[in-house]
Amino acid sequence: MKPLIVVALFTFLSCNLTFKKDDERVKALNEMQQTDVDFSNLAKEEGFRKAFLEYMAEDGILLRDNNKPIIGAEAVQYVSGINDSTFKLDWDPKGGDMAASGDMGFTYGLYSLTGDTSRQEGTYITVWRKQSDGKWKFLLDASTQGLGELVFDQQ
């Protein structure tokens, strides 16, 4: 039994345990995740409508509760018609991943939608695609009301 352990240990120690770094993919992942943070910051600073219109691809899709998929020009029209002066949308990216090609990936996280008297919390996922100009735009934005609604005290 000891010779088998020695051979296994020798084989393990003689292996080259260095892994190929995937620098381009990691760089693209970091860029995409930063874009999600920038997207969130713009929504906080200048409103939902402006942020979504800036970061949504022309063929972007929105998945919202109690709606069929809202696609492309209809998504632009949907976002353009939202009065974002009565609420604040805030989200916190938690993670994501990137395709090996470095041109498509996703981010996910938590969001809160705060109105005058209540706050709704949930989760989201956003699918991103790198554009020909190097900028990231989202292809799909989906959210769920998974964390409940908090009602503020009316005092």
Side-chain angles (χ1 to χ4, degrees):
M1 183 76 158
K2 275 189 175 182
L4 184 57
I5 293 172
V6 171
V7 170
L9 185 59
F10 177 75
T11 303
F12 177 75
L13 292 175
S14 66
C15 290
N16 182 357
L17 294 178
T18 58
F19 296 97
K20 179 182 173 190
K21 290 188 177 179
D22 196 357
D23 291 332
E24 289 303 311
R25 183 179 160 278
V26 171
K27 181 181 174 194
L29 176 61
N30 289 335
E31 287 175 2
M32 181 191 66
Q33 288 179 315
Q34 184 59 52
T35 300
D36 197 10
V37 170
D38 295 344
F39 181 26
S40 177
N41 289 339
L42 184 61
K44 283 185 238 179
E45 295 164 9
E46 298 191 38
F48 169 93
R49 181 180 23 219
K50 182 170 184 163
F52 271 72
L53 291 174
E54 183 165 325
Y55 284 93
M56 183 169 43
E58 289 181 14
D59 53 348
I61 301 167
L62 301 172
L63 299 180
R64 297 295 182 259
D65 291 330
N66 304 312
N67 276 301
K68 294 179 181 178
I70 308 166
I71 303 168
E74 289 179 4
V76 170
Q77 186 176 23
Y78 174 85
V79 170
S80 297
I82 291 176
N83 176 4
D84 60 4
S85 66
T86 61
F87 66 89
K88 179 181 161 196
L89 178 62
D90 184 18
W91 64 92
D92 182 21
K94 295 296 185 189
D97 204 358
M98 175 63 55
S101 60
D103 63 352
M104 188 173 239
F106 69 91
T107 55
Y108 66 90
L110 304 173
Y111 79 87
S112 66
L113 181 66
T114 307
D116 293 336
T117 60
S118 66
R119 184 174 79 215
Q120 171 190 326
E121 296 181 326
T123 59
Y124 76 91
I125 185 167
T126 305
V127 176
W128 297 90
R129 179 176 60 201
K130 194 170 198 174
Q131 306 298 292
S132 59
D133 64 2
K135 293 182 181 177
W136 289 93
K137 299 276 185 168
F138 75 80
L139 289 176
L140 175 74
D141 183 74
S143 59
T144 63
Q145 299 177 29
L147 302 176
E149 181 177 343
L150 307 172
V151 178
F152 299 137
D153 194 13
Q154 297 280 340
Q155 295 180 347

